[in-house]
Amino acid sequence: MGRHLPRRLGLAVVLCAVALLAGAFVPRVRSVLGAAPASFQDIEESLTCQCGCGLTVHACNHLQCGSAIPLRQEIRAQMDLGKGREEILAYFKSKYGEKILSSPTTSGFNILAWVTPFFMLAIGGLLVGLTILRWSARSHPAAPTGEAPEIPAPSPYDKILEKELKDFGE
């Protein structure tokens, strides 16, 4: 097990790197292949409600919310204009700023928000793996040298203890 662990750790690091790269390129591939038709719920879930609840427009459960209801009307109006999902999200981003989006964009500084958790997870896994390697290396007993282990000379307390035990047993 100990011999293969460094290879497995290396494989895990490579797989994490591939997953990160794949995650970074998926939005670009989607944009090249063409976006799927926008659904109202999908757009609602892509926008954050501005009432302070911290939920998406779709999940905001405040009755008569002063933010979600107008945003839903705006989404419907934009969909009626025939705009696609990306165009509608760009409209809301330009009108309300990037804070309206429920997830950070995959460009510029925001790429750190996507990459950092996986990077930290990989570093944590690497540290755990290295710790396991160290612990497993310590747990192996020393190879026998062929010599008999040296027995320490009995101390005066050992003699007293032996005498007390002998007297106790009688």
Side-chain angles (χ1 to χ4, degrees), residues 105-149:
T105 60
T106 56
S107 62
F109 185 74
N110 289 337
I111 196 77
L112 286 177
W114 292 100
V115 173
T116 302
F118 298 108
F119 183 71
M120 296 308 286
L121 187 64
I123 288 175
L126 187 65
L127 289 176
V128 168
L130 290 174
T131 303
I132 289 171
L133 278 176
R134 279 189 165 178
W135 286 352
S136 64
R138 285 185 189 166
S139 66
H140 294 296
T145 58
E147 298 176 11

Side-chain angles (χ1 to χ4, degrees), residues 97-109:
E98 204 165 299
K99 67 180 183 177
I100 192 87
L101 302 177
S102 62
S103 61
T105 60
T106 56
S107 62
F109 185 74

